[in-house]
């Protein structure tokens, strides 16, 4: 009988909270959350993945204080227009 595979270590899993912590800047956190909450359902995972990559880059370079200006941020999403307008 084999033992079950242990779950991945918590530090390897990306969550919305971890992305916000890694972004480490209020403007970036707000932009990420706005993009994520305004994305149409088919694009939610793409938005999450894009920001996860940005957060991972910041996290990877945190000791050397990566310049945020050098990161390619995603273009802002267009807010959906309310129906009936």
């Amino acid at each position: 009988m084999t033992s079950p595979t242990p779950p991945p270590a918590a530090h390897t899993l990306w969550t919305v909270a971890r992305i916000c912590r890694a972004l480490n800047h209020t403007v970036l956190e707000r932009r990420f959350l706005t993009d994520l909450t305004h994305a149409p359902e088919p694009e939610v995972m793409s938005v999450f993945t894009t920001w996860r990559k940005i957060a991972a880059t910041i996290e990877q370079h945190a000791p050397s204080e990566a310049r945020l200006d050098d990161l390619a941020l995603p273009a802002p999403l267009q807010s959906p227009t309310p129906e009936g307008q």
Side-chain angles (χ1 to χ4, degrees):
M1 183 172 184
T2 61
S3 61
T5 304
H11 70 278
T12 62
L13 299 176
W14 284 94
T15 63
V16 170
R18 181 175 173 199
I19 291 173
C20 286
R21 278 192 310 274
L23 293 174
N24 198 27
H25 193 280
T26 334
V27 173
L28 291 177
E29 291 172 30
R30 195 171 301 140
R31 171 78 183 277
F32 162 59
L33 293 172
T34 299
D35 285 358
L36 191 63
T37 57
H38 288 91
E41 184 256 336
E43 296 176 24
V44 169
M45 285 310 297
S46 175
V47 170
F48 183 90
T49 301
T50 299
W51 279 97
R52 178 188 52 78
K53 290 176 184 177
I54 293 168
T57 301
I58 292 171
E59 196 175 81
Q60 180 182 12
H61 296 289
S64 63
E65 296 183 25
R67 292 189 44 190
L68 298 179
D69 299 335
D70 295 338
L71 295 174
L73 297 177
L77 292 173
Q78 295 295 323
S79 296
T81 57
E83 291 183 32
Q85 286 189 354

